[in-house]
mmCIF file with all atom_site columns, all heavy atoms in Angstrom:
data_model
loop_
_atom_site.group_PDB
_atom_site.id
_atom_site.type_symbol
_atom_site.label_atom_id
_atom_site.label_alt_id
_atom_site.label_comp_id
_atom_site.label_asym_id
_atom_site.label_entity_id
_atom_site.label_seq_id
_atom_site.pdbx_PDB_ins_code
_atom_site.Cartn_x
_atom_site.Cartn_y
_atom_site.Cartn_z
_atom_site.occupancy
_atom_site.B_iso_or_equiv
_atom_site.pdbx_formal_charge
_atom_site.auth_seq_id
_atom_site.auth_comp_id
_atom_site.auth_asym_id
_atom_site.auth_atom_id
_atom_site.pdbx_PDB_model_num
ATOM 1   N N   . ARG A 1 279 ? -13.358 -20.930 -11.653 1.00 0.00 ? 279 ARG A N   1
ATOM 2   C CA  . ARG A 1 279 ? -12.373 -20.870 -12.765 1.00 0.00 ? 279 ARG A CA  1
ATOM 3   C C   . ARG A 1 279 ? -13.053 -20.591 -14.053 1.00 0.00 ? 279 ARG A C   1
ATOM 4   O O   . ARG A 1 279 ? -12.659 -19.721 -14.844 1.00 0.00 ? 279 ARG A O   1
ATOM 5   C CB  . ARG A 1 279 ? -11.525 -22.176 -12.899 1.00 0.00 ? 279 ARG A CB  1
ATOM 6   C CG  . ARG A 1 279 ? -10.592 -22.344 -13.909 1.00 0.00 ? 279 ARG A CG  1
ATOM 7   C CD  . ARG A 1 279 ? -9.119  -21.986 -13.502 1.00 0.00 ? 279 ARG A CD  1
ATOM 8   N NE  . ARG A 1 279 ? -8.210  -22.382 -14.407 1.00 0.00 ? 279 ARG A NE  1
ATOM 9   C CZ  . ARG A 1 279 ? -7.363  -23.257 -14.291 1.00 0.00 ? 279 ARG A CZ  1
ATOM 10  N NH1 . ARG A 1 279 ? -7.300  -23.929 -13.277 1.00 0.00 ? 279 ARG A NH1 1
ATOM 11  N NH2 . ARG A 1 279 ? -6.467  -23.574 -15.320 1.00 0.00 ? 279 ARG A NH2 1
ATOM 12  N N   . GLU A 1 280 ? -14.231 -21.165 -14.343 1.00 0.00 ? 280 GLU A N   1
ATOM 13  C CA  . GLU A 1 280 ? -14.816 -21.006 -15.703 1.00 0.00 ? 280 GLU A CA  1
ATOM 14  C C   . GLU A 1 280 ? -15.549 -19.642 -15.785 1.00 0.00 ? 280 GLU A C   1
ATOM 15  O O   . GLU A 1 280 ? -15.887 -19.237 -16.764 1.00 0.00 ? 280 GLU A O   1
ATOM 16  C CB  . GLU A 1 280 ? -15.866 -22.246 -15.871 1.00 0.00 ? 280 GLU A CB  1
ATOM 17  C CG  . GLU A 1 280 ? -16.891 -22.475 -14.936 1.00 0.00 ? 280 GLU A CG  1
ATOM 18  C CD  . GLU A 1 280 ? -16.464 -23.227 -13.691 1.00 0.00 ? 280 GLU A CD  1
ATOM 19  O OE1 . GLU A 1 280 ? -15.272 -23.457 -13.563 1.00 0.00 ? 280 GLU A OE1 1
ATOM 20  O OE2 . GLU A 1 280 ? -17.386 -23.851 -13.002 1.00 0.00 ? 280 GLU A OE2 1
ATOM 21  N N   . GLU A 1 281 ? -15.680 -18.977 -14.638 1.00 0.00 ? 281 GLU A N   1
ATOM 22  C CA  . GLU A 1 281 ? -16.317 -17.717 -14.689 1.00 0.00 ? 281 GLU A CA  1
ATOM 23  C C   . GLU A 1 281 ? -15.373 -16.484 -14.568 1.00 0.00 ? 281 GLU A C   1
ATOM 24  O O   . GLU A 1 281 ? -15.812 -15.257 -14.501 1.00 0.00 ? 281 GLU A O   1
ATOM 25  C CB  . GLU A 1 281 ? -17.388 -17.572 -13.535 1.00 0.00 ? 281 GLU A CB  1
ATOM 26  C CG  . GLU A 1 281 ? -18.525 -18.401 -13.686 1.00 0.00 ? 281 GLU A CG  1
ATOM 27  C CD  . GLU A 1 281 ? -19.544 -18.173 -12.540 1.00 0.00 ? 281 GLU A CD  1
ATOM 28  O OE1 . GLU A 1 281 ? -19.225 -17.428 -11.523 1.00 0.00 ? 281 GLU A OE1 1
ATOM 29  O OE2 . GLU A 1 281 ? -20.666 -18.713 -12.613 1.00 0.00 ? 281 GLU A OE2 1
ATOM 30  N N   . LEU A 1 282 ? -14.079 -16.812 -14.386 1.00 0.00 ? 282 LEU A N   1
ATOM 31  C CA  . LEU A 1 282 ? -13.147 -15.773 -14.221 1.00 0.00 ? 282 LEU A CA  1
ATOM 32  C C   . LEU A 1 282 ? -13.117 -14.632 -15.102 1.00 0.00 ? 282 LEU A C   1
ATOM 33  O O   . LEU A 1 282 ? -13.043 -13.498 -14.718 1.00 0.00 ? 282 LEU A O   1
ATOM 34  C CB  . LEU A 1 282 ? -11.677 -16.464 -14.177 1.00 0.00 ? 282 LEU A CB  1
ATOM 35  C CG  . LEU A 1 282 ? -11.144 -16.898 -12.818 1.00 0.00 ? 282 LEU A CG  1
ATOM 36  C CD1 . LEU A 1 282 ? -9.756  -17.616 -12.977 1.00 0.00 ? 282 LEU A CD1 1
ATOM 37  C CD2 . LEU A 1 282 ? -11.032 -15.715 -11.932 1.00 0.00 ? 282 LEU A CD2 1
ATOM 38  N N   . ALA A 1 283 ? -13.309 -15.014 -16.370 1.00 0.00 ? 283 ALA A N   1
ATOM 39  C CA  . ALA A 1 283 ? -13.147 -13.924 -17.446 1.00 0.00 ? 283 ALA A CA  1
ATOM 40  C C   . ALA A 1 283 ? -14.285 -12.926 -17.413 1.00 0.00 ? 283 ALA A C   1
ATOM 41  O O   . ALA A 1 283 ? -14.082 -11.833 -17.874 1.00 0.00 ? 283 ALA A O   1
ATOM 42  C CB  . ALA A 1 283 ? -13.039 -14.629 -18.885 1.00 0.00 ? 283 ALA A CB  1
ATOM 43  N N   . ARG A 1 284 ? -15.335 -13.364 -16.627 1.00 0.00 ? 284 ARG A N   1
ATOM 44  C CA  . ARG A 1 284 ? -16.404 -12.383 -16.462 1.00 0.00 ? 284 ARG A CA  1
ATOM 45  C C   . ARG A 1 284 ? -16.223 -11.364 -15.401 1.00 0.00 ? 284 ARG A C   1
ATOM 46  O O   . ARG A 1 284 ? -16.849 -10.402 -15.207 1.00 0.00 ? 284 ARG A O   1
ATOM 47  C CB  . ARG A 1 284 ? -17.775 -13.093 -16.283 1.00 0.00 ? 284 ARG A CB  1
ATOM 48  C CG  . ARG A 1 284 ? -18.331 -13.734 -17.415 1.00 0.00 ? 284 ARG A CG  1
ATOM 49  C CD  . ARG A 1 284 ? -19.890 -13.993 -17.394 1.00 0.00 ? 284 ARG A CD  1
ATOM 50  N NE  . ARG A 1 284 ? -20.087 -14.834 -16.150 1.00 0.00 ? 284 ARG A NE  1
ATOM 51  C CZ  . ARG A 1 284 ? -20.871 -14.434 -15.268 1.00 0.00 ? 284 ARG A CZ  1
ATOM 52  N NH1 . ARG A 1 284 ? -21.344 -13.207 -15.110 1.00 0.00 ? 284 ARG A NH1 1
ATOM 53  N NH2 . ARG A 1 284 ? -21.185 -15.413 -14.263 1.00 0.00 ? 284 ARG A NH2 1
ATOM 54  N N   . HIS A 1 285 ? -15.180 -11.831 -14.414 1.00 0.00 ? 285 HIS A N   1
ATOM 55  C CA  . HIS A 1 285 ? -15.050 -10.950 -13.213 1.00 0.00 ? 285 HIS A CA  1
ATOM 56  C C   . HIS A 1 285 ? -13.655 -10.322 -13.211 1.00 0.00 ? 285 HIS A C   1
ATOM 57  O O   . HIS A 1 285 ? -13.489 -9.386  -12.347 1.00 0.00 ? 285 HIS A O   1
ATOM 58  C CB  . HIS A 1 285 ? -15.236 -11.857 -11.944 1.00 0.00 ? 285 HIS A CB  1
ATOM 59  C CG  . HIS A 1 285 ? -16.493 -12.456 -11.784 1.00 0.00 ? 285 HIS A CG  1
ATOM 60  N ND1 . HIS A 1 285 ? -17.539 -11.787 -11.168 1.00 0.00 ? 285 HIS A ND1 1
ATOM 61  C CD2 . HIS A 1 285 ? -17.014 -13.652 -12.273 1.00 0.00 ? 285 HIS A CD2 1
ATOM 62  C CE1 . HIS A 1 285 ? -18.594 -12.551 -11.222 1.00 0.00 ? 285 HIS A CE1 1
ATOM 63  N NE2 . HIS A 1 285 ? -18.375 -13.672 -11.852 1.00 0.00 ? 285 HIS A NE2 1
ATOM 64  N N   . VAL A 1 286 ? -12.784 -10.754 -14.028 1.00 0.00 ? 286 VAL A N   1
ATOM 65  C CA  . VAL A 1 286 ? -11.404 -10.173 -13.866 1.00 0.00 ? 286 VAL A CA  1
ATOM 66  C C   . VAL A 1 286 ? -10.963 -9.715  -15.325 1.00 0.00 ? 286 VAL A C   1
ATOM 67  O O   . VAL A 1 286 ? -11.198 -10.533 -16.309 1.00 0.00 ? 286 VAL A O   1
ATOM 68  C CB  . VAL A 1 286 ? -10.414 -11.234 -13.488 1.00 0.00 ? 286 VAL A CB  1
ATOM 69  C CG1 . VAL A 1 286 ? -9.013  -10.819 -13.348 1.00 0.00 ? 286 VAL A CG1 1
ATOM 70  C CG2 . VAL A 1 286 ? -10.847 -11.725 -12.085 1.00 0.00 ? 286 VAL A CG2 1
ATOM 71  N N   . VAL A 1 287 ? -10.400 -8.474  -15.419 1.00 0.00 ? 287 VAL A N   1
ATOM 72  C CA  . VAL A 1 287 ? -9.878  -8.139  -16.675 1.00 0.00 ? 287 VAL A CA  1
ATOM 73  C C   . VAL A 1 287 ? -8.437  -7.772  -16.588 1.00 0.00 ? 287 VAL A C   1
ATOM 74  O O   . VAL A 1 287 ? -7.918  -7.057  -15.704 1.00 0.00 ? 287 VAL A O   1
ATOM 75  C CB  . VAL A 1 287 ? -10.621 -6.721  -17.128 1.00 0.00 ? 287 VAL A CB  1
ATOM 76  C CG1 . VAL A 1 287 ? -9.954  -6.169  -18.322 1.00 0.00 ? 287 VAL A CG1 1
ATOM 77  C CG2 . VAL A 1 287 ? -12.101 -7.006  -17.339 1.00 0.00 ? 287 VAL A CG2 1
ATOM 78  N N   . ARG A 1 288 ? -7.561  -8.479  -17.424 1.00 0.00 ? 288 ARG A N   1
ATOM 79  C CA  . ARG A 1 288 ? -6.088  -8.082  -17.484 1.00 0.00 ? 288 ARG A CA  1
ATOM 80  C C   . ARG A 1 288 ? -5.834  -7.259  -18.664 1.00 0.00 ? 288 ARG A C   1
ATOM 81  O O   . ARG A 1 288 ? -6.419  -7.352  -19.693 1.00 0.00 ? 288 ARG A O   1
ATOM 82  C CB  . ARG A 1 288 ? -5.345  -9.334  -17.635 1.00 0.00 ? 288 ARG A CB  1
ATOM 83  C CG  . ARG A 1 288 ? -5.473  -10.347 -16.520 1.00 0.00 ? 288 ARG A CG  1
ATOM 84  C CD  . ARG A 1 288 ? -4.786  -11.657 -16.905 1.00 0.00 ? 288 ARG A CD  1
ATOM 85  N NE  . ARG A 1 288 ? -3.314  -11.544 -16.887 1.00 0.00 ? 288 ARG A NE  1
ATOM 86  C CZ  . ARG A 1 288 ? -2.572  -11.906 -17.940 1.00 0.00 ? 288 ARG A CZ  1
ATOM 87  N NH1 . ARG A 1 288 ? -2.997  -12.269 -19.035 1.00 0.00 ? 288 ARG A NH1 1
ATOM 88  N NH2 . ARG A 1 288 ? -1.187  -11.756 -17.744 1.00 0.00 ? 288 ARG A NH2 1
ATOM 89  N N   . GLY A 1 289 ? -4.921  -6.309  -18.453 1.00 0.00 ? 289 GLY A N   1
ATOM 90  C CA  . GLY A 1 289 ? -4.503  -5.480  -19.612 1.00 0.00 ? 289 GLY A CA  1
ATOM 91  C C   . GLY A 1 289 ? -3.050  -5.211  -19.599 1.00 0.00 ? 289 GLY A C   1
ATOM 92  O O   . GLY A 1 289 ? -2.227  -5.416  -18.630 1.00 0.00 ? 289 GLY A O   1
ATOM 93  N N   . GLN A 1 290 ? -2.619  -4.803  -20.800 1.00 0.00 ? 290 GLN A N   1
ATOM 94  C CA  . GLN A 1 290 ? -1.149  -4.381  -20.978 1.00 0.00 ? 290 GLN A CA  1
ATOM 95  C C   . GLN A 1 290 ? -1.086  -3.153  -21.783 1.00 0.00 ? 290 GLN A C   1
ATOM 96  O O   . GLN A 1 290 ? -1.827  -3.079  -22.737 1.00 0.00 ? 290 GLN A O   1
ATOM 97  C CB  . GLN A 1 290 ? -0.358  -5.589  -21.673 1.00 0.00 ? 290 GLN A CB  1
ATOM 98  C CG  . GLN A 1 290 ? 1.051   -5.409  -21.798 1.00 0.00 ? 290 GLN A CG  1
ATOM 99  C CD  . GLN A 1 290 ? 1.715   -6.453  -22.571 1.00 0.00 ? 290 GLN A CD  1
ATOM 100 O OE1 . GLN A 1 290 ? 1.646   -6.378  -23.851 1.00 0.00 ? 290 GLN A OE1 1
ATOM 101 N NE2 . GLN A 1 290 ? 2.472   -7.510  -22.068 1.00 0.00 ? 290 GLN A NE2 1
ATOM 102 N N   . TYR A 1 291 ? -0.268  -2.173  -21.337 1.00 0.00 ? 291 TYR A N   1
ATOM 103 C CA  . TYR A 1 291 ? -0.331  -0.853  -22.142 1.00 0.00 ? 291 TYR A CA  1
ATOM 104 C C   . TYR A 1 291 ? 0.503   -1.029  -23.395 1.00 0.00 ? 291 TYR A C   1
ATOM 105 O O   . TYR A 1 291 ? 1.602   -1.689  -23.391 1.00 0.00 ? 291 TYR A O   1
ATOM 106 C CB  . TYR A 1 291 ? 0.160   0.258   -21.219 1.00 0.00 ? 291 TYR A CB  1
ATOM 107 C CG  . TYR A 1 291 ? 1.712   0.251   -20.678 1.00 0.00 ? 291 TYR A CG  1
ATOM 108 C CD1 . TYR A 1 291 ? 2.714   0.615   -21.487 1.00 0.00 ? 291 TYR A CD1 1
ATOM 109 C CD2 . TYR A 1 291 ? 1.952   -0.101  -19.364 1.00 0.00 ? 291 TYR A CD2 1
ATOM 110 C CE1 . TYR A 1 291 ? 3.936   0.726   -21.044 1.00 0.00 ? 291 TYR A CE1 1
ATOM 111 C CE2 . TYR A 1 291 ? 3.237   -0.075  -18.953 1.00 0.00 ? 291 TYR A CE2 1
ATOM 112 C CZ  . TYR A 1 291 ? 4.218   0.280   -19.796 1.00 0.00 ? 291 TYR A CZ  1
ATOM 113 O OH  . TYR A 1 291 ? 5.503   0.456   -19.276 1.00 0.00 ? 291 TYR A OH  1
ATOM 114 N N   . ALA A 1 292 ? -0.153  -0.371  -24.393 1.00 0.00 ? 292 ALA A N   1
ATOM 115 C CA  . ALA A 1 292 ? 0.471   -0.208  -25.757 1.00 0.00 ? 292 ALA A CA  1
ATOM 116 C C   . ALA A 1 292 ? 1.044   1.220   -25.738 1.00 0.00 ? 292 ALA A C   1
ATOM 117 O O   . ALA A 1 292 ? 0.806   2.013   -24.754 1.00 0.00 ? 292 ALA A O   1
ATOM 118 C CB  . ALA A 1 292 ? -0.541  -0.438  -26.794 1.00 0.00 ? 292 ALA A CB  1
ATOM 119 N N   . ALA A 1 293 ? 1.697   1.556   -26.807 1.00 0.00 ? 293 ALA A N   1
ATOM 120 C CA  . ALA A 1 293 ? 2.278   2.930   -26.890 1.00 0.00 ? 293 ALA A CA  1
ATOM 121 C C   . ALA A 1 293 ? 1.090   4.016   -26.704 1.00 0.00 ? 293 ALA A C   1
ATOM 122 O O   . ALA A 1 293 ? -0.018  3.629   -27.080 1.00 0.00 ? 293 ALA A O   1
ATOM 123 C CB  . ALA A 1 293 ? 2.974   3.112   -28.271 1.00 0.00 ? 293 ALA A CB  1
ATOM 124 N N   . GLY A 1 294 ? 1.428   5.105   -26.254 1.00 0.00 ? 294 GLY A N   1
ATOM 125 C CA  . GLY A 1 294 ? 0.448   6.199   -26.240 1.00 0.00 ? 294 GLY A CA  1
ATOM 126 C C   . GLY A 1 294 ? 1.149   7.394   -25.781 1.00 0.00 ? 294 GLY A C   1
ATOM 127 O O   . GLY A 1 294 ? 2.391   7.637   -25.973 1.00 0.00 ? 294 GLY A O   1
ATOM 128 N N   . GLU A 1 295 ? 0.378   8.307   -25.063 1.00 0.00 ? 295 GLU A N   1
ATOM 129 C CA  . GLU A 1 295 ? 0.874   9.554   -24.561 1.00 0.00 ? 295 GLU A CA  1
ATOM 130 C C   . GLU A 1 295 ? 0.508   9.726   -23.102 1.00 0.00 ? 295 GLU A C   1
ATOM 131 O O   . GLU A 1 295 ? -0.611  9.574   -22.695 1.00 0.00 ? 295 GLU A O   1
ATOM 132 C CB  . GLU A 1 295 ? 0.156   10.666  -25.426 1.00 0.00 ? 295 GLU A CB  1
ATOM 133 C CG  . GLU A 1 295 ? 0.772   11.083  -26.696 1.00 0.00 ? 295 GLU A CG  1
ATOM 134 C CD  . GLU A 1 295 ? 0.278   12.363  -27.212 1.00 0.00 ? 295 GLU A CD  1
ATOM 135 O OE1 . GLU A 1 295 ? -0.434  13.153  -26.582 1.00 0.00 ? 295 GLU A OE1 1
ATOM 136 O OE2 . GLU A 1 295 ? 0.503   12.588  -28.474 1.00 0.00 ? 295 GLU A OE2 1
ATOM 137 N N   . ILE A 1 296 ? 1.680   10.343  -22.363 1.00 0.00 ? 296 ILE A N   1
ATOM 138 C CA  . ILE A 1 296 ? 1.387   10.621  -21.042 1.00 0.00 ? 296 ILE A CA  1
ATOM 139 C C   . ILE A 1 296 ? 1.775   12.149  -20.850 1.00 0.00 ? 296 ILE A C   1
ATOM 140 O O   . ILE A 1 296 ? 2.856   12.518  -21.243 1.00 0.00 ? 296 ILE A O   1
ATOM 141 C CB  . ILE A 1 296 ? 2.259   9.864   -20.078 1.00 0.00 ? 296 ILE A CB  1
ATOM 142 C CG1 . ILE A 1 296 ? 1.996   8.314   -20.128 1.00 0.00 ? 296 ILE A CG1 1
ATOM 143 C CG2 . ILE A 1 296 ? 2.240   10.365  -18.659 1.00 0.00 ? 296 ILE A CG2 1
ATOM 144 C CD1 . ILE A 1 296 ? 0.728   7.856   -19.287 1.00 0.00 ? 296 ILE A CD1 1
ATOM 145 N N   . LYS A 1 297 ? 0.868   12.894  -20.527 1.00 0.00 ? 297 LYS A N   1
ATOM 146 C CA  . LYS A 1 297 ? 0.843   14.357  -20.373 1.00 0.00 ? 297 LYS A CA  1
ATOM 147 C C   . LYS A 1 297 ? 1.533   14.928  -21.689 1.00 0.00 ? 297 LYS A C   1
ATOM 148 O O   . LYS A 1 297 ? 2.538   15.688  -21.694 1.00 0.00 ? 297 LYS A O   1
ATOM 149 C CB  . LYS A 1 297 ? 1.815   14.773  -19.207 1.00 0.00 ? 297 LYS A CB  1
ATOM 150 C CG  . LYS A 1 297 ? 1.257   14.208  -17.819 1.00 0.00 ? 297 LYS A CG  1
ATOM 151 C CD  . LYS A 1 297 ? 1.879   14.868  -16.679 1.00 0.00 ? 297 LYS A CD  1
ATOM 152 C CE  . LYS A 1 297 ? 1.230   14.344  -15.403 1.00 0.00 ? 297 LYS A CE  1
ATOM 153 N NZ  . LYS A 1 297 ? 1.803   13.239  -14.884 1.00 0.00 ? 297 LYS A NZ  1
ATOM 154 N N   . GLY A 1 298 ? 0.987   14.524  -22.739 1.00 0.00 ? 298 GLY A N   1
ATOM 155 C CA  . GLY A 1 298 ? 1.422   15.085  -24.076 1.00 0.00 ? 298 GLY A CA  1
ATOM 156 C C   . GLY A 1 298 ? 2.667   14.546  -24.705 1.00 0.00 ? 298 GLY A C   1
ATOM 157 O O   . GLY A 1 298 ? 3.048   14.905  -25.681 1.00 0.00 ? 298 GLY A O   1
ATOM 158 N N   . LYS A 1 299 ? 3.292   13.644  -24.035 1.00 0.00 ? 299 LYS A N   1
ATOM 159 C CA  . LYS A 1 299 ? 4.580   13.146  -24.478 1.00 0.00 ? 299 LYS A CA  1
ATOM 160 C C   . LYS A 1 299 ? 4.423   11.683  -24.997 1.00 0.00 ? 299 LYS A C   1
ATOM 161 O O   . LYS A 1 299 ? 3.773   10.951  -24.195 1.00 0.00 ? 299 LYS A O   1
ATOM 162 C CB  . LYS A 1 299 ? 5.668   13.232  -23.395 1.00 0.00 ? 299 LYS A CB  1
ATOM 163 C CG  . LYS A 1 299 ? 6.149   14.461  -22.943 1.00 0.00 ? 299 LYS A CG  1
ATOM 164 C CD  . LYS A 1 299 ? 7.688   14.368  -22.584 1.00 0.00 ? 299 LYS A CD  1
ATOM 165 C CE  . LYS A 1 299 ? 8.176   15.800  -22.302 1.00 0.00 ? 299 LYS A CE  1
ATOM 166 N NZ  . LYS A 1 299 ? 8.008   16.180  -20.915 1.00 0.00 ? 299 LYS A NZ  1
ATOM 167 N N   . PRO A 1 300 ? 4.934   11.179  -26.072 1.00 0.00 ? 300 PRO A N   1
ATOM 168 C CA  . PRO A 1 300 ? 4.684   9.940   -26.513 1.00 0.00 ? 300 PRO A CA  1
ATOM 169 C C   . PRO A 1 300 ? 5.636   8.935   -25.646 1.00 0.00 ? 300 PRO A C   1
ATOM 170 O O   . PRO A 1 300 ? 6.629   9.247   -25.288 1.00 0.00 ? 300 PRO A O   1
ATOM 171 C CB  . PRO A 1 300 ? 5.383   9.878   -27.972 1.00 0.00 ? 300 PRO A CB  1
ATOM 172 C CG  . PRO A 1 300 ? 6.001   11.197  -27.977 1.00 0.00 ? 300 PRO A CG  1
ATOM 173 C CD  . PRO A 1 300 ? 5.573   12.085  -27.044 1.00 0.00 ? 300 PRO A CD  1
#
Side-chain angles (χ1 to χ4, degrees):
R279 181 98 171 243
E280 56 276 19
E281 291 186 352
L282 267 175
R284 289 203 297 116
H285 296 275
V286 179
V287 173
R288 296 171 74 234
Q290 187 186 76
Y291 64 82
E295 273 191 12
I296 296 278
K297 298 193 182 92
K299 291 215 177 82

